[in-house]
Amino acid sequence: MNKKILAALIINILVVLATGAIAVSYYFYSSNPLVENGVDSYKFFTTDSNILAALSSLVLIPFEVQVLRGKRDKVPHGAIVFKYVGMVSVMLTFITVMTLLLPQYDIKFLLFDTSFHMHLTGPLAAFVTFVFLETDSKIKFSETFLALIPCVLYGAVYLFEVVIIGEKNGGWMDFYTFNRGGFWYISMPVILIATYLIAVLTRLAHNKLSK
């Protein structure tokens, strides 16, 4: 039995269940004072990135079951790439929380209740499964740019809501403080560069451990 695939399967199932339950719970309760309802939670990259990572885990589950049953030799490369994109997104969430937000917000706000999974265990689960367990195929260098797509799309929406519209005109408040002092044109490229560094470094680690 492929112990690595079995471990990945178990973790993926747990991630899908936990993330799904938390996403649904936002429609009934949220410890985040900035979230008024379930739909409101999707304005946060934390929610979006974790759901993306959970979807990538969901896609992998049937393929990993087939591998364990001997129905296929390995997980399809496309599914691994999808997991890669989701993993980079949640690792951006993790690093942003640990380096940028933790010094500014109460630790109970960032790492307790549902945030414990969305900011910590969810991202780490994606990282561990992708780098150490789901190593059937290597990620091509050209595929590192795919990992930037979620960040670019969310960044464009955040810029539009926070800078162009502005909180006073019905847009979002600058909850990630990317526009503090009006320096969005510095923070946005930094975030994009950080995302690409995550993509490059995790690709190197994954490829080194691939068969």
Side-chain angles (χ1 to χ4, degrees), residues 69-104:
R69 296 181 62 192
K71 301 296 184 180
R72 63 166 56 243
D73 294 329
K74 62 180 183 179
V75 174
H77 181 68
I80 296 295
V81 173
F82 187 21
K83 181 62 171 286
Y84 172 58
V85 173
M87 180 276 303
V88 170
S89 297
V90 284
M91 283 306 295
L92 175 61
T93 292
F94 172 79
I95 291 173
T96 299
V97 167
M98 295 302 168
T99 61
L100 181 63
L101 301 184
L102 202 55
Q104 302 181 57

